[in-house]
Amino acid sequence: MNDIATLATRPPILGLQDVRVHYPMGTDWLGRPKAVAHALNGIDLQVQAGETLGIVGESGCGKSTLAQLLMGLIKPTSGRLDWVYNTDSERSSHVQIVFQDPQSSLDPRLPIWKIITEPLYVQRSAPRQNMRDIAAKVAAQVGIRAEYLDRYPHQFSGGQRQRIAIARALSSNPDIIVLDEPTSALDISVQAQILNLLSELQRARQLTYILISHNVSVVRHMADRVAVMYLGQVVELGSAAQVLEHPRHPYTRLLLEAVPRLGAPVDDAHVSAPTELPGNRNLPKGCFFRDRCPQATVGCERPQALLPASRSSGTEQVRCHLASAEQGLPTQPAG
Ligand code: SF4
């Protein structure tokens, strides 16, 4: 983990400004969309070089859409996405992803040296005759021995397969790796090994991680900062210690109460609120959390901006007028 004050002095590697992603859903007989899914609804974020930014929230909050956007798989409907790339010429791809399930993310028909060098092959960024040597070098960095390079994914354990997936992400020497629930498909005994490996690689290669997870203990272990998402917006952003130990936004508090503080990965957190998570076709008016919020009051009928938290000595931001006003909500321990 990095020191937050040091991180703040580093240059941003990625900036998102008011990013929105809306999908048309179905068409009527005139070819017009029947409905629109509002997957991301004004994301403002800066990612600092070398940090781990944890992204947490219930299923349907927009985490996966954000990952797809960062991977370039989808385009924003509006807003800006600015990459500030490392100019190191050896970097042939700026962002890679490690998926949660190495079983399904690795092609079973390929020997692992081909899997590891897949990104280079797709980008044609290294001569073919060098691929095997590159695979051996990267495999060694994740603890896979060179004599295993001709084996196939089914010949490895779950933890080894995730090491291979990490090697594949590393082979193109990216600036940023999106970690999409990187340990949730693994046995508990293997999870810590993979998290430690990711931390070592980050230090050695100055990687920036965007860690998407339901598992608060994984986020607590890895993340420097945490962004909490709700209905396609960031509702709280700050250091992992601030957000996870002293949450200020009412949604963050309910979310943290809904998941175990320690232990195995959890399934989707189920936030205990008077109503279910609303769909993203018809967004609520005013604060998106208003119908579920135990603190809802006058003023919540207005849209809320992500503003500096009250009485915060750090860089914490909250999308709630009570927590960002002088008379704000007191901080309280989570869970
Ligand atoms: Fe709750 Fe109001 Fe804050 Fe929204 S703005 S989180 S409804 S108190």
Side-chain angles (χ1 to χ4, degrees):
M1 264 203 226
N2 293 286
D3 174 60
I4 291 295
T6 312
L7 265 184
T9 64
R10 295 204 193 144
I13 196 168
L14 167 65
L16 288 87
Q17 276 178 37
D18 197 21
V19 168
R20 292 166 196 269
V21 174
H22 298 164
Y23 299 106
M25 299 183 72
T27 48
D28 65 14
W29 62 281
L30 286 173
R32 297 173 302 201
K34 280 185 183 162
V36 175
H38 301 82
L40 296 182
N41 299 300
I43 300 285
D44 293 300
L45 265 183
Q46 276 207 338
V47 182
Q48 309 298 131
E51 78 165 322
T52 299
L53 175 66
I55 310 273
V56 298
E58 288 168 281
S59 271
C61 71
K63 300 190 300 278
S64 303
T65 305
L66 183 60
Q68 289 174 349
L69 185 78
L70 298 180
M71 289 298 300
L73 301 175
I74 55 172
K75 298 245 175 282
T77 309
S78 64
R80 287 187 56 168
L81 193 72
D82 294 316
W83 295 93
V84 185
Y85 291 137
N86 189 324
T87 52
D88 181 343
S89 60
E90 284 184 12
R91 292 184 192 263
S92 59
S93 165
H94 298 291
V95 56
Q96 286 290 333
I97 189 163
V98 174
F99 293 101
Q100 65 174 281
D101 184 5
Q103 176 84 29
S104 57
S105 69
L106 305 182
D107 189 333
R109 299 162 304 176
L110 295 179
I112 66 158
W113 75 267
K114 286 194 175 176
I115 291 175
I116 291 172
T117 51
E118 233 175 352
L120 299 172
Y121 185 79
V122 171
Q123 297 151 13
R124 300 184 185 177
S125 53
R128 279 196 189 195
Q129 65 270 24
N130 294 356
M131 295 285 192
R132 202 184 161 89
D133 289 344
I134 294 171
K137 200 168 148 196
V138 185
Q141 290 173 11
V142 301
I144 299 287
R145 288 157 54 175
E147 59 260 42
Y148 295 164
L149 287 179
D150 289 311
R151 295 189 180 179
Y152 290 81
H154 72 271
Q155 295 174 284
F156 294 89
S157 67
Q160 286 173 320
R161 280 198 289 266
Q162 197 59 311
R163 286 173 188 266
I164 294 163
I166 293 167
R168 177 177 56 185
L170 289 174
S171 66
S172 58
N173 208 11
D175 291 306
I176 296 184
I177 298 184
V178 177
L179 303 169
D180 187 2
E181 305 275 6
T183 57
S184 63
L186 304 177
D187 289 344
I188 291 178
S189 58
V190 182
Q191 289 177 18
Q193 294 170 20
I194 295 295
L195 295 178
N196 290 339
L197 171 67
L198 288 167
S199 298
E200 284 164 23
L201 291 167
Q202 182 176 43
R203 271 193 299 277
R205 302 176 65 127
Q206 286 109 46
L207 289 164
T208 305
Y209 289 151
I210 295 178
L211 170 65
I212 294 173
S213 184
H214 285 126
N215 189 325
V216 172
S217 57
V218 168
V219 175
R220 186 176 279 124
H221 182 81
M222 292 282 291
D224 301 302
R225 292 191 304 148
V226 173
V228 181
M229 287 186 66
Y230 184 79
L231 273 189
Q233 293 184 327
V234 173
V235 296
E236 184 159 5
L237 175 67
S239 73
Q242 285 170 333
V243 174
L244 300 179
E245 303 304 331
H246 301 286
R248 291 169 186 267
H249 194 283
Y251 173 69
T252 312
R253 294 178 182 179
L254 290 181
L255 183 73
L256 293 175
E257 282 166 13
V259 298
R261 287 174 67 82
L262 294 170
V266 291
D267 293 323
D268 291 1
H270 186 77
V271 168
S272 169
T275 59
E276 290 297 310
L277 180 70
N280 63 10
R281 293 191 189 189
N282 298 304
L283 293 174
K285 303 275 183 253
C287 172
F288 285 3
F289 192 52
R290 185 159 60 126
D291 289 347
R292 307 176 80 199
C293 180
Q295 270 103 17
T297 181
V298 176
C300 303
E301 69 284 357
R302 294 192 295 271
Q304 303 292 308
L306 190 64
L307 294 171
S310 64
R311 295 193 294 273
S312 170
S313 55
T315 53
E316 193 179 7
Q317 293 176 293
V318 191
R319 196 181 286 274
C320 169
H321 67 107
L322 292 185
S324 59
E326 263 314 296
Q327 71 278 19
L329 296 168
T331 62
Q332 66 185 40

